[in-house]
Amino acid sequence: MAKTLDRGLENREIVLDILTEVLEQGAFVHLVLNQALQKYQYLGKADRSFITRAVEGTLEYLIQIDEVINRYSKTKIYKMKPFIRSLLRMSVYQILYMDRVPDSAVCNEAVKLAVKRHFSGLKGFVNGVLRTISREKEKLTFDTPSLRYSIPEWMYAMWEKEFGKEKAGKIAASFLEDKPTWVRCNLHRADRERILASLKAQGTLVRELPFMESMIAIDGYDYLEGLDAFRKGWIQVQDVTSAFVGEIASPEKGSYIIDVCAAPGGKSLHLADKLRGTGMVEARDLTYQKTALIEENMARCGVTNMKTLVWDALEPDPSAAGKADIVIADLPCSGLGIIGRKPDIKYNMTPEKLEELAGLQREILSVVWQYVKPGGLLCYSTCTIDRLENQDNAAWLRERFPLVPVDLTDRFGGLPQESSLKEGWIQFLPGVNPYDGFFISVFRRAEGESGPDGI
């Protein structure tokens, strides 16, 4: 029993360190969590699952958790010492949402951690707050949707205004639901039956997507790198809506494609796979660190018709002007469509940042559209649900440059039949559509038309 308790304390200490780095130092949760899980691979599956759920859950419910702490603590959350703040936050999440963990164990382990980290003088405070919340938790109510779903008020109000109350509620609720990992099968490496057999042999739960042979959802696995199918390059993590970009682009064999903000390379790898070894996909990004990540995935997946280039998308490249059959511009965005996978996004975003990002996207688009050859395609996409970054920017492109929206109605059978398809774009909403939030728009460069510099 002692070893079990020690393991529980170690797991909570790992969670605490991750949350402190994310919430107090501004690190990205997916990066810090992945690094920790790599470091502690010796832990069992149940231990790593606990760490993952405690970290992600605390971040998902952070606004609500802070409200609860403030109700029952004389010292308000933002006046607490950073360590105590993180300790209470992760402990309250366990009390409210992890039913298999006894409240008494949560309180006891929190006190032990306070002592271990040299906060013995505050162990009574920690114990008192947590035990009070444990006693009162059945009485808790949250009157506003933003508290119920732990979404910043301004963000929820924006969604209500844009999508209506019903859809706003569905969007917010979806971010708190468990989701499988979607992966795309690299069918040039192995056929789907062989990939499915490999995954199932390792105890992975698999769900197929009827309208897209290459996409499957996986769940119940220990860790991704432990799957033979991943190590052999048979599968690549990619959400369904992200994979729609490659399906809609539908490149012909021999095409030259430029992906201007490509890391970690999912869309580029998908397009290279669809080219079946022909043509060339040039995956560009801002730093060597980002292109190195793309190259790791290229090597694992055995891709030969793809190369990387370190290039700032804001910097014009005259050598690429008018050369590409397809330009993929999946640009830096607010990420509001993937809050369910990266919950820290909702705490770091502001209305001002949305405007800044929309402006950055326009700067990039004003450069990279020129790489499309006459008759070629520009695919502009984001993983957000913000009109400013999506529909407004698509309209800006159409009005400013010789780009004609492509009717997407019959371009790919997996698309829901929205009226916007005829106008060349589609907005996926989490909770309304069964995938991540995502925006895709497609334009064809007019034949014989030149840009502002005669390109």
Side-chain angles (χ1 to χ4, degrees):
M1 178 65 71
K3 287 185 177 179
T4 302
L5 290 174
D6 289 344
R7 179 67 74 207
L9 189 66
E10 181 183 359
N11 290 345
R12 286 176 172 84
E13 193 165 17
I14 294 169
V15 172
L16 187 57
D17 288 338
I18 294 171
L19 289 173
T20 299
E21 193 169 347
V22 172
L23 294 174
E24 304 296 340
Q25 300 170 24
F28 294 117
V29 63
H30 65 289
L31 297 179
V32 181
L33 180 57
N34 287 342
Q35 289 167 1
L37 294 177
Q38 288 285 341
K39 180 179 179 180
Y40 298 104
Q41 272 194 23
Y42 62 83
L43 293 175
K45 180 180 179 181
D47 293 318
R48 289 198 302 277
S49 295
F50 172 87
I51 291 168
T52 300
R53 183 178 173 191
V55 168
E56 293 181 343
T58 301
L59 290 170
E60 286 169 351
Y61 284 91
L62 188 64
I63 292 174
Q64 187 184 106
I65 288 169
D66 284 357
E67 168 69 16
V68 172
I69 293 172
N70 283 336
R71 288 183 190 180
Y72 298 104
S73 171
K74 291 181 180 178
T75 303
K76 300 311 175 187
I77 194 81
Y78 291 107
K79 291 185 177 180
M80 295 177 184
K81 295 181 182 299
F83 171 83
I84 297 298
R85 183 161 53 226
S86 293
L87 178 61
L88 287 177
R89 283 167 162 170
M90 79 163 188
S91 301
V92 170
Y93 173 72
Q94 293 169 61
I95 289 171
L96 297 182
Y97 292 107
M98 297 185 76
D99 296 336
R100 294 185 181 180
V101 182
D103 290 0
S104 57
V106 175
C107 297
N108 292 338
E109 299 289 87
V111 169
K112 288 180 183 178
L113 280 171
V115 173
K116 184 176 181 180
R117 293 295 183 90
H118 311 294
F119 287 94
S120 296
L122 292 172
K123 67 180 184 181
F125 169 74
V126 168
N127 189 54
V129 171
L130 293 180
R131 291 194 181 278
T132 301
I133 291 172
S134 175
R135 287 195 306 270
E136 299 293 324
K137 67 179 181 180
E138 300 301 330
K139 302 176 185 177
L140 287 172
T141 58
F142 304 103
D143 298 329
T144 64
S146 62
L147 268 181
R148 193 176 312 127
Y149 300 121
S150 199
I151 293 288
E153 286 186 19
W154 71 267
M155 194 176 289
Y156 196 87
M158 179 178 70
W159 294 341
E160 277 196 330
K161 182 178 179 181
E162 175 67 25
F163 306 116
K165 288 187 176 182
E166 182 180 356
K167 285 185 178 179
K170 288 181 178 180
I171 291 168
S174 75
F175 292 142
L176 301 175
E177 297 170 356
D178 290 335
K179 295 177 177 63
T181 300
W182 282 99
V183 297
R184 182 182 49 75
C185 301
N186 291 313
L187 298 177
H188 76 285
R189 297 280 283 180
D191 61 47
R192 186 163 74 161
E193 287 67 30
R194 189 178 179 188
I195 295 171
L196 293 176
S198 174
L199 291 168
K200 291 175 181 177
Q202 290 189 273
T204 305
L205 303 175
V206 176
R207 176 159 55 93
E208 301 178 53
L209 194 63
F211 58 81
M212 199 187 309
E213 182 186 16
S214 61
M215 295 301 299
I216 54 176
I218 60 174
D219 213 340
Y221 58 94
D222 193 351
Y223 60 101
L224 194 67
E225 292 78 5
L227 296 175
D228 292 337
F230 181 81
R231 289 199 304 272
K232 292 177 180 178
W234 293 356
I235 58 174
Q236 171 71 29
V237 175
Q238 187 174 12
D239 192 73
V240 175
T241 44
S242 173
F244 281 166
V245 173
E247 296 298 326
I248 290 172
S250 187
E252 297 180 1
K253 287 186 177 181
S255 293
Y256 172 46
I257 300 170
I258 300 176
D259 189 344
V260 298
C261 296
K267 296 176 187 64
S268 293
L269 290 164
H270 186 193
L271 289 160
D273 189 56
K274 290 182 75 66
L275 289 174
R276 295 294 186 267
T278 70
M280 178 56 62
V281 179
E282 187 174 288
R284 301 181 172 199
D285 222 304
L286 185 60
T287 66
Y288 284 105
Q289 290 83 354
K290 289 190 173 186
T291 56
L293 181 59
I294 298 171
E295 287 167 3
E296 284 179 21
N297 284 320
M298 287 167 57
R300 182 177 55 81
C301 296
V303 176
T304 57
N305 59 334
M306 186 172 159
K307 62 182 179 181
T308 64
L309 179 65
V310 177
W311 195 276
D312 183 348
L314 288 168
E315 186 70 27
D317 179 7
S319 69
K323 300 286 181 63
D325 296 287
I326 299 172
V327 168
I328 303 296
D330 187 72
L331 301 187
C333 72
S334 60
L336 300 184
I338 56 171
I339 287 174
R341 300 186 187 278
K342 298 179 181 179
D344 49 329
I345 286 173
K346 58 186 172 182
Y347 309 118
N348 296 324
M349 192 50 55
T350 65
E352 292 74 25
K353 286 183 180 178
L354 291 179
E355 292 188 11
E356 290 173 10
L357 284 163
L360 173 63
Q361 291 152 3
R362 291 186 181 191
E363 288 184 59
I364 294 174
L365 290 168
S366 68
V367 171
V368 303
W369 79 269
Q370 298 177 74
Y371 304 156
V372 183
K373 67 167 58 173
L377 297 181
L378 171 66
C379 298
Y380 169 54
S381 61
T382 72
C383 57
T384 191
I385 55 175
D386 170 38
R387 171 173 286 275
L388 195 63
E389 300 173 79
N390 294 343
Q391 293 96 319
D392 288 357
N393 271 355
W396 178 85
L397 268 172
R398 184 178 64 246
E399 293 164 3
R400 185 173 179 84
F401 305 113
L403 298 168
V404 181
V406 174
D407 187 346
L408 304 179
T409 306
D410 299 315
R411 198 164 184 89
F412 172 54
L415 295 176
Q417 294 306 298
E418 304 285 349
S419 59
S420 66
L421 292 175
K422 288 189 175 295
E423 300 171 30
W425 62 270
I426 185 166
Q427 173 72 74
F428 295 93
L429 298 176
V432 178
N433 306 111
Y435 317 112
D436 283 348
F438 208 83
F439 175 81
I440 304 171
S441 56
V442 182
F443 300 87
R444 189 178 302 281
R445 182 170 178 174
E447 297 278 1
E449 292 284 349
S450 62
D453 299 316
I455 297 173

